Amino acid sequence: MDEIVVSRNEAVEQKTHDPKVVAKFFLLNLVGIFMFFIPVTINGAKSIPIDHIVTAIRAVPNFGLVYAGIIVVLGAALPFVRKTWNKDKVTIIFSVFKVLAVFVYIMVVFHLGPESIWAPDMLPFVFNKVVIPVTLLVPVGAVFLAFLINYGLMEFVGVFMRPIMRPIWKTPGRSAIDAVASFVGSYSVGLLITNRVYKEGRYSTKEACIIATGFSTVSATFMVVVAKTLGLMGKWNAYFWGTLVITFIVTALTTRLYPLNHKSDLSYGGKPPVPERVAEKGKLFATAWDEGLTACENAGGIGEGIVKNFKDGLNLALSIGPTLLSIGFFGLLLAAFTPVFDIIGYLFLPFTKLLGFGPEAAMLAKGCAVSLAEMFLPASIVANASPLVQAVAAIVCVSEILFFSASIPCILSTDIEIKLKDILIIWVERIILSLVLATPFAYFFLV
């Protein structure tokens, strides 16, 4: 079901395409590659063009405050307008949190509440560093997403990457685009791509769940912040590449564990996923070339693709905006003012003790637990710990991927069929596996 072998009779290498299609393939895909994958330096800041556009928009006085307010208020009202707020228990809970987000936004506008919630790493962090950039990045990124996924690039890359992606991560070759987009851009960009491709029937439910929970990492930019906080910039290359490898090893392992290994092999709407072609020996490039150009030839107009993707991006922003604000904020409150994450930390205490962290085992266990609220929080928990604990926490907070201040609400707001219970189980698995892999790596290469 997941492959089509190219027969000799097809003579892929001899097939010719209209020069206009070839030009379209190169031009439009180069635009997509440039916007999502090529970091450029503007005004001293190095990032991908999509991020620079978002930064420029945010520079407009009060734009972020007003825009986020519109997204939060409309996003909170939509489930009730569409009468979807009570679809199931999880939807009801999230609908309530969306309404609560309106009150949190009012607190932001009028600077209400005790001074403790106005510490830089509390409400200002969630609103300014998470809600505004993510809700802006999703629709802006969606405008250019058409150039990345509509005109044959995924099909072209997929033929080359399938021999790697399929046996290791049980995902199509085209999913390599998702993995790179997340690490270079952000998890929101990766999830936007995943959701769009899933709805088009090019991922099965199992594949979409694996990609969403295993490839949608925070960007390299966030890793820089973590490395600076924990004094790892002197060993940046070892930290970056080690974390990248550990993250994807953990993903390869979780794909073979419950609940991911029990997910459906059917695609969106219960249909079989669109298969990838597999080239015969010696015909790899010819098959990739034909696949890419055929997809480009069959693609709709540029304007049509942009409008369709922008609508999807705006809907996703409206869905995740309120939950990012309310759940992110309340998660930080729980972490700062309650013992909830100390209790959750007992899940990981046996592992941190067995791994030899001694008197710092409890601290590291709590740091792992608090990553469920926000991936950056472990850095503050272990800020005064030994270099080994700091290094392990720096890796785990990235490789665990799933956290309530951003990625979990984003995943649950997509059309991917995955339950909150499943996400929490995967999070526990990722933490334990990350600890086991990160500890020896940190010991030999980071301290």
Side-chain angles (χ1 to χ4, degrees):
M1 182 174 64
D2 61 357
E3 61 182 47
I4 297 177
V5 177
V6 181
S7 69
R8 286 180 169 83
N9 294 330
E10 286 182 296
V12 171
E13 67 273 21
Q14 297 176 7
K15 185 174 180 180
T16 58
H17 290 272
D18 188 332
K20 291 182 180 179
V21 175
V22 176
K24 180 181 178 183
F25 174 82
F26 278 110
L27 179 62
L28 299 185
N29 285 314
L30 283 174
V31 170
I33 291 170
F34 173 73
M35 295 304 297
F36 284 91
F37 298 130
I38 307 299
V40 294
T41 302
I42 299 177
N43 295 329
K46 187 176 183 179
S47 188
I48 57 173
I50 290 289
D51 188 46
H52 284 303
I53 293 173
V54 170
T55 301
I57 295 172
R58 290 187 64 186
V60 177
N62 296 318
F63 178 86
L65 182 66
V66 174
Y67 169 79
I70 294 171
I71 291 293
V72 167
V73 173
L74 289 180
L78 276 179
F80 300 94
V81 173
R82 294 172 175 171
K83 298 181 179 179
T84 59
W85 67 275
N86 58 350
K87 184 174 65 174
D88 51 49
K89 290 181 180 179
V90 173
T91 305
I92 292 173
I93 293 170
F94 272 80
S95 297
V96 171
F97 272 110
K98 288 180 180 182
V99 173
L100 292 175
V102 177
F103 295 98
V104 178
Y105 176 70
I106 292 172
M107 292 171 62
V108 171
V109 174
F110 297 102
H111 202 89
L112 303 177
E115 283 303 309
S116 57
I117 69 169
W118 288 98
D121 58 350
M122 294 294 288
L123 186 52
F125 172 80
V126 173
F127 188 72
N128 295 317
K129 302 296 184 182
V130 178
V131 177
I132 293 177
V134 170
T135 55
L136 261 176
L137 187 61
V138 168
V140 171
V143 171
F144 296 95
L145 191 61
F147 297 97
L148 196 65
I149 68 174
N150 286 5
Y151 302 105
L153 181 64
M154 295 193 81
E155 287 75 11
F156 180 80
V157 172
V159 173
F160 289 101
M161 292 301 297
R162 188 186 183 283
I164 299 172
M165 303 300 293
R166 179 63 65 185
I168 298 177
W169 292 286
K170 299 184 181 295
T171 61
R174 58 175 72 106
S175 63
I177 296 289
D178 278 14
V180 176
S182 293
F183 242 81
V184 177
S186 78
Y187 55 84
S188 56
V189 171
L191 284 169
L192 186 65
I193 295 171
T194 305
N195 192 50
R196 188 85 190 97
V197 177
Y198 174 61
K199 289 177 69 176
E200 291 175 351
R202 292 190 279 170
Y203 289 152
S204 69
T205 297
K206 179 185 288 186
E207 291 164 353
C209 290
I210 290 170
I211 295 163
T213 61
F215 293 160
S216 299
T217 63
V218 295
S219 67
T221 306
F222 270 88
M223 291 179 67
V224 170
V225 176
V226 173
K228 282 183 177 179
T229 304
L230 297 178
L232 291 171
M233 285 307 294
K235 297 185 177 180
W236 166 250
N237 279 317
Y239 169 62
F240 177 85
W241 293 109
T243 303
L244 178 67
V245 170
I246 288 170
T247 298
F248 291 141
I249 291 175
V250 169
T251 299
L253 295 172
T254 56
T255 61
R256 291 156 172 83
L257 301 175
Y258 177 86
L260 288 177
N261 64 355
H262 279 60
K263 291 297 178 182
S264 171
D265 288 317
L266 296 176
S267 186
Y268 183 68
K271 300 176 182 178
V274 177
E276 288 186 312
R277 287 170 67 176
V278 181
E280 286 185 357
K281 188 175 181 180
K283 296 182 179 180
L284 188 64
F285 182 82
T287 305
W289 179 249
D290 182 63
E291 279 288 278
L293 290 182
T294 300
C296 184
E297 192 172 9
N298 296 331
I302 298 174
E304 178 187 350
I306 289 175
V307 170
K308 187 176 182 180
N309 284 342
F310 177 72
K311 287 181 179 179
D312 282 352
L314 189 58
N315 276 324
L316 185 58
L318 288 168
S319 182
I320 64 179
T323 49
L324 289 178
L325 181 57
S326 59
I327 294 178
F329 175 54
F330 292 127
L332 293 182
L333 289 180
L334 287 175
F337 302 111
T338 75
V340 168
F341 290 103
D342 293 273
I343 296 170
I344 296 174
Y346 283 112
L347 282 172
F348 310 117
L349 187 58
F351 298 95
T352 55
K353 281 186 173 294
L354 286 171
L355 289 167
F357 288 99
E360 294 182 308
M363 180 194 298
L364 180 57
K366 181 182 179 180
C368 292
V370 82
S371 69
L372 183 61
E374 158 57 42
M375 64 79 55
F376 186 71
L377 286 181
S380 60
I381 297 291
V382 303
N384 298 315
S386 66
L388 179 60
V389 169
Q390 289 183 332
V392 170
I395 295 171
V396 172
C397 73
V398 175
S399 61
E400 58 90 15
I401 289 181
L402 305 165
F403 51 99
F404 272 113
S405 73
S407 65
I408 292 176
C410 284
I411 293 170
L412 292 174
S413 296
T414 66
D415 296 282
I416 300 167
E417 298 172 34
I418 187 168
K419 297 178 180 178
L420 179 59
K421 177 199 72 172
D422 297 335
I423 291 175
L424 294 177
I425 293 172
I426 295 166
W427 172 74
V428 172
E429 293 172 349
R430 294 194 69 90
I431 291 286
I432 294 171
L433 292 169
S434 297
L435 277 171
V436 172
L437 293 171
T439 301
F441 177 83
Y443 180 81
F444 286 108
F445 297 103
L446 296 179
V447 296

